[in-house]
């Protein structure tokens, strides 16, 4: 069995503590920008939740059984459903696009 290399970690991301807090209102500003961008793009085609992407299979390999998962930009929840069925994971999803929320 081949061993996987350890995940790459950006040392600056881990060690840079120069910013104590994000500027006030930055989250709301970024969320508004993202919402505007998403509204300007054509909506994603409907996909049944059981239809998985190849990325979902890669992610599912690394999620331990019974894990708690937060999926940001979960779309129609396909990855969360896959993890619930295969790994008995407890999942929560956040999606900004109203067209994708089921």
């Amino acid at each position: 069995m081949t061993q996987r290399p350890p995940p790459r970690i950006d040392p600056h991301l881990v060690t840079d503590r120069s910013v104590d807090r994000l500027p006030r209102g930055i989250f709301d500003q970024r969320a508004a920008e993202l919402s505007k961008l998403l509204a300007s793009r054509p909506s994603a085609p409907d996909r049944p939740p059981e239809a998985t992407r190849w990325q979902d299979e890669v992610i599912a390999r690394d999620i331990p059984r019974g894990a708690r998962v937060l999926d940001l930009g979960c779309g129609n929840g396909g990855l969360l459903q896959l993890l619930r069925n295969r790994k008995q994971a407890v999942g929560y999803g956040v999606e900004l696009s109203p067209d994708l929320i089921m």
Side-chain angles (χ1 to χ4, degrees):
M1 184 164 135
T2 61
Q3 289 199 359
R4 290 186 196 163
R8 292 181 295 160
I9 298 174
D10 182 349
H12 300 292
L13 182 64
V14 176
T15 60
D16 183 7
R17 303 286 185 228
S18 63
V19 177
D20 290 332
R21 293 186 177 166
L22 291 174
R24 183 176 292 278
I26 193 74
F27 178 80
D28 292 331
Q29 177 186 348
R30 296 292 187 241
E33 290 170 1
L34 180 59
S35 181
K36 184 177 177 182
L37 175 66
L38 290 173
S40 70
R41 301 176 72 187
S43 62
D46 290 335
R47 289 171 45 112
E50 63 274 3
T52 60
R53 305 168 303 156
W54 67 268
Q55 299 97 322
D56 294 350
E57 297 294 334
V58 172
I59 293 167
R61 257 193 338 227
D62 292 329
I63 300 294
R65 188 169 298 284
R68 291 174 41 186
V69 177
L70 174 61
D71 186 359
L72 301 175
C74 64
N76 65 4
L79 173 60
L80 292 172
Q81 184 176 13
L82 174 74
L83 294 175
R84 184 183 69 219
N85 293 340
R86 283 197 198 163
K87 301 289 187 140
Q88 291 71 49
V90 176
Y92 298 91
V94 176
E95 178 58 58
L96 293 178
S97 177
D99 296 337
L100 294 176
I101 297 173
M102 301 175 85

